[in-house]
């Protein structure tokens, strides 16, 4: 039941800094800072000639709680899909820091991905987010703190959710959330962890990704589900998804599976809609690179 | 059971009993006092800052100076920290029984820590929680009262989502009906979110800031007035101890 709160700890570990875990005695070497949030800092580290992400927490209990969730999820993943590697402590200047090691996810956050690859990826990225949510929900967890920064999109629109700080067992109170994505903030429902909670946040995420809702000019008078729907209806990118967004915002999907099916239906429903207005910026580079590949192949086949 | 008072004020007390003394008294009654100083712009002033820090220290809680905009999240953060703090005390006592003088989480092996935190979270979700919000309604608070109202709503919403029972009560100070009342109740122990709507419209803002006497009145209320029957409350307390004892199974 916390909202995000900015940290004030400013120590940044430098490149080459070596850490040995106090309990498990594994050796890590810092490469660089990947990012920072309210609950700690995340570094890229080397371990056994591989790169991983290391999260160093500010609060021991919150970090451990996150570790507990990740370990529970990890148990249900295929051996090659494991996300959790290790958790331990280290000492620096007389202070103990707790950390855990997880898989490093390469990619861009959802907004950056769409900005650099084009808005036409929106529907696929959305579907992939829903797939990830459905998997988590099947394990009886709710993601909780779904937001743009926690959605990493890699090649071909592959989606990984990061930051398990908000992940809550179904039926409990949402552990951590960000106001603008929160159903309670919009006076459109409770803060109990149910599937519809994540689907609501997903709808807000869609509104922000398409530019229908902007974070900067929010005032409390505007706080209502009908305001959100009005915003969606005036945005050209949202148009096709209105039936989905309406249900997601009002919490009328009976499950994430239903939500996903509706999304898919609308996504494929009319592929040619607005076709003249869709730009295809990827076509040019894609064409150029295939010509390049062709030339190179021809060139090499001549040499050998 | 976790009992706490959250004082929301924008300045120094200026009448009656020293609020630091009142906060220390709360602590004696197992009530934790958190204090939030709200500012619109600029800073809080040295004397005011000292006072809220001292109050929180005496009351075993936290103090924080925030802008109106951050009020909701601060109220929530403090409530949660208070709950966790109390649970840790219970857990620590339990730990002390079992592993002697080492009481800190970081002394435990990560695998044991995992189980302790599971229990802490269980308690955090399920413990009976009682919160009194004591809101400064002196004239200078007028521009901030909307933010206070939002913060109260928001807190109710979060508490309602808990699996365990939460009760919230609301007071403002000084009293507006009776000039001699240091504080006046706006909402008796409640779990109802709807009742909270437009609570503050009837408060007419006055000049004096009797923080100490107001605190005292709230302490008395918390000690003597229980919403539901006493039995339920005691049952809740027993439950906490039972849960605390669960730890001994883990840490051997
Ligand atoms: N596994 C990972 N691989 C790559 N980058 C990561 C990974 N985990 C986190 N990051 C980066 O670190 C940043 C902060 O991580 P994270 O969101 O977990 O921190 P947080 O303190 O929980 O944040 P928040 O304030 O959103 O709760 C992320 O935004 C992301 O850029």
């Amino acid at each position: 039941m916390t909202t995000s709160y900015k940290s004030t700890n400013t120590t940044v570990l430098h490149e080459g800094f070596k850490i040995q875990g106090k309990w498990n005695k594994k050796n890590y070497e810092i490469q660089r800072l990947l990012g920072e949030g309210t609950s700690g800092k995340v570094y890229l580290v080397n371990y056994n000639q591989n790169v991983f992400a290391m999260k160093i927490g500010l609060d021991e209990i919150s970090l451990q709680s996150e570790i507990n969730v990740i370990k529970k999820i990890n148990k249900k993943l295929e051996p090659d899909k494991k996300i959790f590697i290790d958790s331990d402590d280290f000492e620096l200047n007389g202070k103990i820091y707790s950390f855990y090691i997880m898989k490093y996810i390469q990619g861009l956050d959802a907004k950056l991905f769409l900005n650099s690859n084009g808005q036409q990826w929106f529907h696929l990225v959305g579907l992939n987010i829903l797939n990830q949510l459905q998997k988590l929900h099947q394990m009886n967890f709710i993601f909780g703190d779904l937001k743009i920064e926690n959605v990493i999109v890699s090649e071909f629109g592959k989606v990984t959710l990061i930051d398990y700080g908000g992940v809550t067992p179904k039926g409990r109170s949402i552990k951590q959330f960000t106001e603008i994505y929160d159903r309670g903030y919009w006076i459109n429902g409770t803060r109990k962890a149910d599937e519809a909670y994540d689907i609501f946040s997903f709808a807000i995420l869609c509104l922000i990704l398409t530019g229908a809702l902007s974070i900067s000019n929010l005032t409390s008078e505007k706080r209502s589900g009908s305001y959100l729907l009005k915003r969606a209806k005036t945005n050209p990118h949202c148009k096709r998804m209105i039936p989905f967004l309406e249900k997601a915002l009002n919490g009328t999907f009976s499950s994430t599976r239903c939500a996903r099916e509706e999304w898919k239906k609308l996504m494929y429903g009319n592929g040619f809609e607005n076709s003249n207005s869709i730009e295809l910026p990827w076509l040019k580079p894609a064409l150029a690179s295939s010509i390049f590949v062709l030339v190179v192949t021809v060139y090499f086949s001549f040499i050998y | 059971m976790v009992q706490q008072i959250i004082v929301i004020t924008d300045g120094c007390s200026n009448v009656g009993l020293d609020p630091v003394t009142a906060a220390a008294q709360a602590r004696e009654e197992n009530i934790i006092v958190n204090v939030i100083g709200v500012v619109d712009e600029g800073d809080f002033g040295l004397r005011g800052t000292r006072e809220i820090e001292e109050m929180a220290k005496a009351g075993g809680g936290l103090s924080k100076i925030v802008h109106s905009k951050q009020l909701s999240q601060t109220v929530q953060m403090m409530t949660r920290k208070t709950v966790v703090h109390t649970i840790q005390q219970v857990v620590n006592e339990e730990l002390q029984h079992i592993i002697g003088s080492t009481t800190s989480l970081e002394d435990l092996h990560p695998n044991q820590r995992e189980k302790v935190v599971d229990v802490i979270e269980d308690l955090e979700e399920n413990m009976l929680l009682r919160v009194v919000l004591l809101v400064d309604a002196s004239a200078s608070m007028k521009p901030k009262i909307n933010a206070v109202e939002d913060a109260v709503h928001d807190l109710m919403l979060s508490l309602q989502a808990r699996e365990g029972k939460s009760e919230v009560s609301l007071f403002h100070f000084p009293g507006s009906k009776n000039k001699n009342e240091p504080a006046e109740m706006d909402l008796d122990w409640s779990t109802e979110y709807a009742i909270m709507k437009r609570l503050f419209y009837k408060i007419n803002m006055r000049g004096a800031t009797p923080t100490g006497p107001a605190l005292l009145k709230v302490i008395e209320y918390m000690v003597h007035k229980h919403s539901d029957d006493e039995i339920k409350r005691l049952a809740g307390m027993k439950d906490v101890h039972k849960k605390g004892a669960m730890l001994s199974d883990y840490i051997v």
Side-chain angles (χ1 to χ4, degrees), chain A residues 1-6 22-24 59-62 64-68 71-72 75 87-89 96 98 170-175 177 179 182-185 187 189-192 220 223, chain B residues 64 66 70 72-74 76-77 79-81 83-84 88 104-111 113-115 117-118 120-122 124-126 129 150 154-155 157-163 193:
Chain A
M1 52 180 238
T2 44
T3 34
S4 296
Y5 214 79
K6 265 283 165 246
K22 180 179 155 188
W23 304 90
N24 300 336
D59 175 72
E60 228 178 330
I61 295 182
S62 313
Q64 187 61 49
S65 145
E66 208 171 308
I67 294 170
N68 289 0
K71 285 179 90 168
K72 276 173 198 143
K75 276 191 196 135
S87 70
D88 213 325
D89 302 334
I96 306 260
S98 301
K170 281 182 186 169
R172 289 205 163 180
S173 54
I174 293 289
K175 254 202 279 190
F177 57 85
E179 264 182 358
D182 167 47
R183 185 168 72 179
Y185 172 85
I187 322 183
T190 70
R191 285 192 182 130
K192 242 189 200 321
S220 62
R223 275 204 228 165
Chain B
K64 200 159 173 73
V66 300
Q70 310 165 289
S72 308
Q73 58 194 47
T74 308
Q76 281 204 46
M77 185 263 306
T79 301
R80 174 162 187 270
K81 288 226 159 138
V83 175
V84 172
Q88 274 180 300
S104 147
L105 207 54
E106 60 192 34
D107 297 325
L108 292 177
H109 187 275
N111 290 344
R113 210 179 288 172
E114 188 177 328
K115 282 155 190 155
V117 169
D118 263 346
I120 290 179
E121 286 198 319
D122 241 37
E124 196 182 321
E125 181 76 16
N126 290 302
L129 175 61
D150 282 351
D154 205 66
L155 179 68
L157 201 57
S158 279
L159 295 183
Q160 258 194 334
R162 297 174 75 236
E163 281 180 342
Y193 168 59

Side-chain angles (χ1 to χ4, degrees), chain A residues 4 34-40 42 53 55 66 102-105 145 147 149-150 162-163 176:
Chain A
S4 296
L34 284 172
E36 181 174 5
T38 51
S39 64
V42 179
K55 181 159 186 175
E66 208 171 308
M102 63 187 140
K103 196 161 146 184
Y104 167 57
I105 312 296
D145 202 5
K147 56 179 170 181
E149 299 88 317
N150 289 344
I162 58 161
D163 187 0
Q176 188 190 306

Side-chain angles (χ1 to χ4, degrees), chain A residues 171-207:
Chain A
R172 289 205 163 180
S173 54
I174 293 289
K175 254 202 279 190
Q176 188 190 306
F177 57 85
T178 302
E179 264 182 358
I180 183 167
Y181 296 90
D182 167 47
R183 185 168 72 179
Y185 172 85
W186 290 101
I187 322 183
N188 238 23
T190 70
R191 285 192 182 130
K192 242 189 200 321
D194 52 32
E195 298 193 356
Y197 186 90
D198 277 347
I199 299 300
F200 181 92
S201 302
F202 173 75
I204 299 282
L205 190 123
C206 291
L207 295 187

Side-chain angles (χ1 to χ4, degrees), chain A residues 202-236:
Chain A
F202 173 75
I204 299 282
L205 190 123
C206 291
L207 295 187
I208 298 176
L209 280 181
T210 53
L213 185 70
S214 98
I215 306 178
S216 51
N217 56 22
L218 285 173
T219 56
S220 62
E221 302 89 73
K222 290 179 182 165
R223 275 204 228 165
S224 71
S226 54
Y227 170 76
L228 291 171
L229 204 60
K230 213 169 70 200
R231 300 294 319 168
K233 283 180 177 158
T234 55
N235 183 287

